[in-house]
Amino acid sequence: PGFITPLVPFAERQIIIMYKNLDELPITFGVSELAEVLNISRNKAYDIIKDNSFPKHYIGRKIIISKKHFLIWMDKNFSKL
């Protein structure tokens, strides 16, 4: 018999965080990493990316985000809060 995982309600599941701080973020990253760093859904991350002021580059259909420009964007936009 195999190991049976008990059913855990979605709200009680632990989120696996790949990055403990922004220093661990790679030089370039994608939408999934953006969602993880900001602790938001991928759909919400795509909403942010649609904003023309958000720094992103397209390689074909792939969205690439520069860590350097993302951190500048964060400083500029989060200082307004």
Side-chain angles (χ1 to χ4, degrees), residues 21-27 29 34 37-38 54-55 65-79:
N21 60 52
L22 291 176
D23 293 333
E24 295 180 3
L25 195 62
I27 293 172
F29 55 94
L34 175 64
V37 167
L38 297 178
F54 186 82
I65 302 161
S66 160
K67 176 181 177 178
K68 174 184 172 183
H69 294 112
F70 169 69
L71 294 176
I72 292 168
W73 177 85
M74 288 273 296
D75 285 341
K76 188 166 78 171
N77 288 280
F78 282 70
S79 65

Side-chain angles (χ1 to χ4, degrees), residues 5-71:
T5 305
L7 295 176
V8 178
F10 182 77
E12 294 178 18
R13 293 181 190 164
Q14 289 184 342
I15 298 171
I16 299 172
I17 299 175
M18 291 173 46
Y19 308 110
K20 294 178 183 162
N21 60 52
L22 291 176
D23 293 333
E24 295 180 3
L25 195 62
I27 293 172
T28 61
F29 55 94
V31 178
S32 295
E33 291 85 4
L34 175 64
E36 184 177 331
V37 167
L38 297 178
N39 196 24
I40 58 175
S41 69
R42 283 188 64 195
N43 287 341
K44 194 54 91 174
Y46 277 109
D47 289 344
I48 290 172
I49 286 172
K50 289 177 189 174
D51 183 342
N52 288 333
S53 70
F54 186 82
K56 76 267 185 194
H57 298 282
Y58 292 91
I59 299 179
R61 294 182 63 194
K62 185 169 177 70
I63 299 169
I64 304 295
I65 302 161
S66 160
K67 176 181 177 178
K68 174 184 172 183
H69 294 112
F70 169 69
L71 294 176

